[in-house]
């Protein structure tokens, strides 16, 4: 290809040769036909790009083997049978079904090629029809056309795999490297927490420096993600989402990419509780509008990036039960058992709960748990126990069951009658399960609500029924105290419902539920407990415009009331010391976030245009035993002396900074005054000259006089009738 020559070089060459470029009509110059002299055309580049976009490869072609071998007269019948089977799973292109025929015998060769509109339809058809039994003698063997080439390259003789030398990489960490890259942030000398925010095209990780009442930037990157970011459950990784898949990042002062997970058009991701696995989800539109979306789910090993198992099918297959999500799919599709072991995960299907174990990523006992009409399920946060809800069906009452995994033994069951709806709430330690039951009245025209409270850790799992003082009150929100025995309920009618607090203990009797108090007429519709318990925020979101009440449940006292107008999010930091409230881009105005202390003091406010996300970085569970934590709490004054001294130093520093700021402002003001006085003095002679030599700057040279001025403000004319004037 010829080198590109700039116009400056052309002018230099023309000057050297004595050629006047202004006398040459460049448009009249034409290349010889069929010869581009090595200069590519811009139009050809566009044509080549278009051709590349149209070339989709052979990912949409299937090879179906083990078809019957039939003569020419039965060809059309066999073709019709095959077309009927495969057209149900996708749109076959025109002329996209081809069955080769032996030219000598005129019989089919026992296989065919099927070309779909999209590779997704081809993959679905392969999964659904591989092993399909047409009759006793003909069981379909289905492969992707692209795989045939791989099979042909398999050598006839086995050869041992080549052993490659070990090359250290980020995916395999030594303990020191792992700590330095992923855990060092936990050892911050100021005991600060991190959070990530997204606004505009930027993603930032920041320290919450509450003492300085401002954030401190850790890392900033433009266009770090194409949709959202997500912390792993223990804060080890930050995940980003892209069109090609997902990636995880980690670090102390800078974030390095640790692993990629290829999954085109990924929309959602979910970590297992122990951060060992990452679930990715995508949904693809079918070529036939009458069909449902095609769903692809991959489960990756977080550290190696290997796909441990994938699940593919129509959206209908993943939309059973739950509350719905993307294109009708309940998210997360897979729910993980509690604990860091990540031993089991489960999904709900039609009349079944499928429980998988991660050792082989296969069903426990190779079969699902059959539960007719099962509507919802959830795991205990700490133990391999499933809670199931089955609605009423015919004469069978609704029920909630507790099932032990992997034995599949039913630990407890409670039948429920006249049920309209049911929600299950696990306490964070797995000690209690609250089941909110909406029941029909006798007339079936209205409903009322009660709670079934399961004491999971007690013998025979006793169940207690709780009804509100006014059982017709609508339940607006319910929330357990983390690691505690109390729960809060918002109930009643808007705009000022009541908030009640209950305890699973009653004085010396730990086996009965008791009401602690009811707060009347609160502007609240959401509950946000501190991760450490005791403190709770009664929040009025959406229609309540961001009303916030910081409440101490131990003292049953309101610590502070505040407002973050139009707040869309409330989130406690993992230590329970600080709270973030945010206004995201759902609203066009006042985007940004506020940081509050646990007792409701506003520490600082940050405004950000086009604000999308605020997420605190989670912390891993403490290694301290419960007894050690209690000992620290008991001797808190001894441990707090160090931090009180540091707080005092920071307070003095802030006071000094404030003094310096005020001093600087005062100096700036005095400098401006002096400058004005100097200018005033310089213009004194000019002023006297304008006043014919009269000095006008000295007040004693003036004589004050009072002058009264009368001014007519308004004149009205009115015609009075003669009769009225006589009266």
């Amino acid at each position: 290809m010829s080198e590109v020559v700039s116009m400056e070089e052309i002018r230099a060459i023309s000057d050297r040769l004595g050629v006047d470029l202004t006398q040459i009509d460049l448009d009249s110059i034409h290349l010889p036909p069929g010869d581009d002299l090595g200069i590519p055309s811009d139009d050809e580049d566009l044509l080549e790009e278009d051709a590349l976009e149209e070339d989709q490869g052979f990912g949409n072609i299937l090879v179906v083997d083990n078809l019957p071998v039939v003569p020419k007269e039965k060809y059309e019948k066999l073709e019709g049978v095959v077309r009927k089977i495969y057209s149900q799973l996708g749109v076959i292109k025109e002329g996209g079904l081809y069955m080769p025929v032996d030219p000598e015998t005129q019989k089919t060769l026992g296989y065919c090629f099927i070309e779909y509109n999209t590779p997704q339809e081809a993959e679905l058809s392969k999964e659904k029809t591989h092993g399909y039994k047409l009759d006793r003698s003909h069981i379909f063997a289905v492969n992707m056309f692209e795989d045939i080439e791989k099979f042909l390259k398999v050598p006839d003789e086995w050869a041992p795999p080549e052993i490659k030398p070990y090359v250290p990489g980020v995916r395999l960490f030594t303990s020191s490297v792992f700590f330095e890259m992923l855990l060092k942030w936990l050892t911050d000398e100021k005991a600060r927490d991190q959070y990530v925010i997204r606004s505009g095209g930027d993603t930032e990780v920041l320290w919450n420096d509450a003492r300085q009442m401002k954030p401190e930037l850790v890392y900033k990157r433009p266009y770090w993600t194409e949709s959202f970011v997500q912390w792993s459950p223990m804060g080890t990784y930050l995940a980003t989402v892209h069109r090609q898949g997902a990636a995880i990042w980690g670090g102390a002062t800078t974030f390095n990419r640790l692993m990629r997970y290829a999954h085109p058009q990924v929309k959602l991701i979910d970590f297992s509780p122990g951060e060992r696995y990452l679930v990715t989800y995508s949904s693809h539109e079918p070529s036939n509008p009458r069909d449902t979306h095609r769903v692809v789910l991959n489960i990756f090993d977080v550290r190696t990036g290997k796909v441990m198992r994938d699940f593919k099918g129509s959206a209908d297959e993943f939309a059973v039960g739950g509350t719905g999500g993307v294109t009708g799919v309940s998210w997360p599709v897979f729910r993980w058992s509690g604990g860091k072991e990540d031993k089991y995960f489960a999904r709900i299907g039609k009349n079944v709960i499928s429980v998988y174990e991660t050792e082989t990523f296969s069903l426990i006992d190779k079969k699902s748990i059959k539960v007719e009409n099962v509507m919802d399920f959830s795991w205990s946060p700490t133990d391999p126990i499933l809670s199931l809800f089955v609605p009423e069906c015919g004469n069978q009452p609704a029920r909630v069951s507790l099932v032990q995994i992997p034995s599949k033994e039913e630990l407890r069951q409670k039948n429920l009658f006249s049920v309209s709806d049911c929600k299950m709430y696990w306490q964070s330690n797995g000690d209690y399960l609250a089941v909110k039951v909406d029941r029909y009245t006798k007339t079936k025209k209205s409903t009322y609500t009660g709670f079934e409270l399961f004491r999971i850790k007690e013998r025979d799992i006793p169940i207690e029924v709780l009804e509100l003082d006014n059982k017709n009150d609508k339940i607006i929100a319910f929330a357990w105290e983390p690691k505690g025995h109390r729960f809060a309920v918002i109930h009643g009618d808007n705009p000022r419902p009541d908030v009640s607090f209950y305890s699973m203990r009653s004085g010396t009797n730990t086996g009965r539920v008791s009401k602690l108090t009811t707060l009347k007429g609160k502007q609240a519709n959401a509950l946000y407990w501190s991760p450490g318990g005791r403190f709770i925020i009664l929040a009025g979101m959406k229609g309540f415009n961001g009303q916030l009440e910081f409440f101490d449940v131990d003292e049953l006292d309101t610590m502070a009331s505040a407002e973050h107008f139009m707040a869309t999010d409330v989130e406690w930091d993992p230590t329970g010391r600080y709270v973030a409230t945010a206004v995201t881009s759902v609203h066009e105005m006042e985007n940004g976030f506020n940081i509050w202390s646990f007792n409701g003091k506003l520490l600082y406010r940050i405004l950000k245009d086009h604000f999308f996300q605020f997420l605190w970085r989670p912390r891993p569970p403490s290694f301290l035993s419960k007894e050690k934590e209690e000992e620290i709490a008991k001797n808190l004054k001894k441990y707090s002396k160090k931090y009180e001294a540091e707080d005092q130093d920071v307070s003095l520093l802030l006071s000094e900074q404030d003094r310096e700021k005020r001093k600087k402002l005062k100096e700036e003001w005095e400098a401006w005054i002096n400058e004005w006085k100097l200018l005033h003095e310089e213009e004194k002679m000019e002023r006297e000259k304008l006043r014919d030599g009269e000095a006008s700057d000295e007040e004693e040279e003036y004589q004050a006089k009072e002058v009264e001025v009368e001014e007519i403000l308004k004149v009205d004319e009115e015609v009075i009738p003669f009769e009225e004037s006589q009266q």
Side-chain angles (χ1 to χ4, degrees):
M1 180 180 294
S2 301
E3 295 183 359
V4 178
V5 182
S6 67
M7 283 304 298
E8 288 76 9
E9 293 174 310
I10 293 174
R11 291 190 185 97
I13 295 170
S14 62
D15 291 342
R16 190 172 67 249
L17 297 176
V19 177
D20 186 2
L21 289 177
T22 60
Q23 302 300 317
I24 299 176
D25 183 8
L26 297 177
D27 293 333
S28 65
I29 300 175
H30 298 281
L31 296 176
D35 190 355
D36 59 7
L37 298 181
I39 303 173
S41 166
D42 292 339
D43 294 337
E44 289 176 6
D45 287 346
L46 292 174
L47 291 172
E48 288 179 8
E49 290 178 7
D50 290 342
L52 287 173
E53 290 178 3
E54 292 175 1
D55 184 10
Q56 298 179 351
F58 302 103
N60 58 332
I61 301 176
L62 289 181
V63 181
V64 184
D65 206 354
N66 289 345
L67 294 177
V69 176
V70 299
K72 186 176 181 179
E73 53 270 19
K74 293 185 178 181
Y75 181 94
E76 288 186 6
K77 183 177 180 181
L78 178 60
E79 183 187 38
V81 171
V82 173
R83 185 179 296 277
K84 182 177 180 181
I85 294 171
Y86 283 90
S87 62
Q88 297 177 24
L89 301 169
V91 178
I92 300 174
K93 284 189 174 182
E94 186 176 351
L97 176 57
Y98 171 63
M99 282 195 299
V101 175
D102 188 328
E104 295 183 2
T105 63
Q106 293 297 303
K107 290 184 177 181
T108 59
L109 296 176
Y111 62 89
C112 72
F113 301 92
I114 299 174
E115 184 177 6
Y116 283 102
N117 277 344
T118 65
Q120 289 78 18
E121 291 173 323
E123 289 181 11
L124 178 62
S125 294
K126 175 192 170 185
E127 291 178 22
K128 296 297 184 183
T129 61
H130 182 68
Y132 177 80
K133 192 173 182 180
L134 186 64
D135 55 42
R136 287 186 178 181
S137 304
H138 301 93
I139 300 174
F140 289 177
V142 185
N143 291 286
M144 304 297 293
F145 184 83
E146 289 180 333
D147 294 338
I148 300 298
E149 185 178 1
K150 298 178 187 176
F151 300 150
L152 293 174
K153 290 182 179 179
V154 176
D156 296 333
E157 296 183 3
W158 179 83
E162 179 185 355
I163 300 176
K164 297 182 180 180
Y166 166 72
V167 178
V170 295
R171 70 178 61 183
L172 298 172
F173 302 110
T174 62
S175 58
S176 60
V177 172
F178 183 85
F179 172 81
E180 184 69 24
M181 291 190 65
L182 304 181
L183 300 180
K184 190 177 179 181
W185 68 277
L186 292 168
T187 62
D188 178 58
E189 291 183 355
K190 299 178 183 178
R192 298 173 297 180
D193 280 286
Q194 290 184 354
Y195 55 81
V196 63
I197 61 173
R198 283 199 314 115
S199 60
D202 294 331
T203 302
E204 301 173 65
V205 179
L206 304 112
W207 288 112
N208 173 37
D209 203 335
R211 288 176 174 175
Q212 300 289 346
M213 296 187 179
K214 62 182 181 180
E216 180 184 319
L217 182 65
V218 177
Y219 187 74
K220 180 177 180 179
R221 184 170 181 146
Y223 306 107
W224 199 355
T225 181
E226 294 180 41
S227 53
F228 63 92
V229 294
Q230 183 172 322
W231 292 109
S232 58
M234 293 187 286
T236 308
Y237 312 108
L238 180 67
T240 56
V241 179
H242 313 269
R243 281 173 293 180
Q244 303 91 342
I248 60 168
W249 309 71
T253 58
T254 183
F255 278 72
N256 302 304
R257 186 175 60 219
L258 307 175
M259 187 60 63
R260 292 176 176 174
Y261 309 94
H263 187 154
Q265 302 178 47
V266 62
K267 289 184 174 64
L268 297 170
I269 62 173
D270 182 45
F271 283 94
S272 62
E275 302 183 338
R276 296 186 180 189
Y277 305 105
L278 176 69
V279 182
T280 59
Y281 163 92
S282 64
S283 176
H284 307 272
E285 291 188 5
S287 56
N288 188 340
R290 293 175 296 178
D291 296 336
T292 58
H293 284 66
R294 172 172 164 72
V295 168
V296 178
L297 288 142
N298 291 328
I299 303 179
F300 293 91
D301 184 293
V302 167
R303 291 217 182 173
T304 65
K306 179 183 177 182
V307 178
M308 306 308 294
R309 172 139 189 197
D310 61 357
F311 296 81
K312 301 174 183 177
S314 67
D316 291 341
E317 296 177 44
F318 297 95
V320 181
T323 56
V326 179
T327 63
V329 172
S330 176
W331 185 258
V333 172
F334 299 114
R335 304 178 195 176
W336 294 86
S337 60
K340 295 191 294 184
E341 295 80 11
D342 294 341
K343 197 170 183 180
Y344 306 106
F345 63 96
R347 57 169 288 211
I348 191 169
K350 188 175 182 180
N351 299 324
V352 295
I353 299 291
S354 300
V355 184
Y356 303 83
E357 48 86 18
T358 53
E359 187 175 346
T360 62
F361 279 85
S362 59
L363 288 168
I364 293 177
D365 299 333
K366 298 183 180 181
K367 58 183 178 181
S368 299
I369 304 173
K370 291 187 177 180
V371 186
E372 289 292 326
N373 301 311
V374 62
M375 178 64 69
D376 195 12
F377 80 99
S378 59
W379 286 97
S380 161
T382 55
D383 302 299
I385 298 175
L386 284 173
S387 59
L388 313 176
F389 167 60
V390 180
E392 294 182 8
C393 183
N395 295 326
Q396 295 295 321
R399 71 178 189 275
V400 172
S401 300
L402 299 176
V403 179
Q404 183 79 48
I405 299 298
S407 65
K408 302 180 183 179
E409 174 191 357
E410 188 173 70
L411 302 176
R412 193 72 161 89
Q413 177 181 311
K414 178 67 183 288
N415 290 334
L416 307 169
F417 298 90
S418 302
V419 174
S420 166
D421 193 16
C422 184
K423 299 287 183 184
M424 297 176 288
Y425 303 91
W426 281 94
Q427 183 255 7
S428 61
N429 287 347
D431 293 336
Y432 311 108
L433 170 67
V435 180
K436 179 177 77 72
V437 185
D438 296 334
R439 289 183 169 90
Y440 290 109
T441 58
K442 291 182 179 180
T443 62
K444 301 286 186 180
K445 293 181 180 180
S446 60
T447 60
Y448 64 96
T449 303
F451 291 92
E452 306 283 336
L453 303 171
F454 292 69
R455 299 177 182 272
I456 305 297
K457 301 294 176 71
E458 297 182 21
R459 184 178 178 181
D460 297 328
I461 311 181
I463 303 172
E464 192 170 355
V465 178
L466 171 66
E467 290 187 349
L468 303 179
D469 294 338
N470 182 358
K471 67 178 184 180
N472 293 320
D473 274 0
K474 177 184 176 183
I475 304 298
I476 298 171
F478 174 97
W480 283 104
E481 177 186 26
K483 304 177 183 177
H485 56 86
R486 296 174 290 200
F487 59 90
V489 183
I490 301 179
H491 55 94
D493 297 321
N494 289 326
R496 288 189 171 272
D498 298 337
V499 182
S500 294
F501 293 92
Y502 295 84
S503 171
M504 294 296 286
R505 303 172 185 171
S506 177
T508 56
N509 183 1
T510 60
R512 288 186 59 82
V513 65
S514 61
K515 186 168 78 169
L516 302 176
T517 190
T518 294
L519 309 177
K520 296 289 186 179
K522 294 295 180 180
Q523 285 186 290
N525 54 15
L527 299 164
Y528 298 95
W529 282 95
S530 163
R534 179 176 175 176
F535 306 111
I536 190 172
I537 295 176
L538 314 178
M541 312 298 283
K542 297 180 180 178
F544 288 156
N545 291 327
Q547 297 294 322
L548 305 170
E549 183 171 339
F550 296 78
F551 193 78
D552 183 345
V553 183
D554 279 5
E555 303 296 331
L556 298 178
D557 184 41
T558 297
M559 298 180 290
S561 295
E563 180 187 61
H564 187 175
F565 185 61
M566 296 191 297
T568 56
D569 300 272
V570 177
E571 189 173 355
W572 285 87
D573 85 325
T575 65
R577 296 175 297 171
Y578 305 104
V579 183
T581 58
V583 178
T584 59
S585 58
V586 173
H587 301 294
E588 295 182 359
M589 300 176 63
E590 298 295 321
N591 280 196
F593 62 94
N594 292 353
I595 300 296
W596 311 75
S597 65
F598 74 94
N599 57 359
K601 179 183 177 182
L602 179 61
L603 301 177
Y604 60 89
R605 183 185 187 192
I606 303 294
L607 294 177
K608 291 277 188 180
D609 290 335
H610 305 293
F611 188 69
F612 301 119
Q613 265 189 295
F614 181 104
L615 294 173
W616 290 102
R617 188 172 191 172
R619 285 177 174 264
S622 172
F623 290 113
L624 298 175
S625 64
K626 187 176 181 181
E627 292 76 16
K628 186 64 177 176
E629 288 183 353
E630 291 176 352
E631 178 192 337
I632 292 173
K634 187 176 180 180
N635 302 302
L636 193 58
K637 288 186 178 180
K638 181 178 72 174
Y639 294 104
S640 63
K641 287 181 180 179
K642 172 188 173 183
Y643 299 104
E644 286 174 356
E646 290 181 3
D647 288 343
Q648 188 174 0
D649 292 341
V650 171
S651 179
L652 291 173
L653 178 62
L654 290 174
S655 298
E656 183 64 29
Q657 289 174 350
D658 286 340
R659 283 194 296 270
E660 288 294 329
K661 187 177 180 181
R662 289 195 296 269
K663 182 181 178 182
K664 185 178 179 181
L665 289 172
K666 183 180 179 182
E667 289 174 352
E668 289 176 356
W669 168 253
E670 289 177 346
W672 184 86
I673 291 293
N674 292 331
E675 183 180 351
W676 184 87
K677 285 181 178 179
L678 181 62
L679 180 63
H680 185 76
E681 189 65 29
E682 290 174 353
E683 295 176 347
K684 182 176 180 179
M685 297 301 295
E686 186 69 23
R687 289 194 299 275
E688 288 184 7
K689 183 178 179 181
L690 292 172
R691 292 174 172 79
D692 298 326
E694 292 290 335
S696 61
D697 292 347
E698 302 299 331
E699 290 186 6
E700 57 268 16
E701 295 181 4
Y702 291 92
Q703 183 177 1
K705 291 183 179 181
E706 290 185 4
V707 179
E708 293 184 2
V709 178
E710 293 184 359
E711 182 180 354
I712 298 175
L713 299 178
K714 187 178 181 183
V715 176
D716 291 330
E717 291 186 3
E718 184 177 357
V719 178
I720 300 175
F722 177 77
E723 291 80 4
E724 292 184 8
S725 65
Q726 293 299 317
Q727 294 176 3

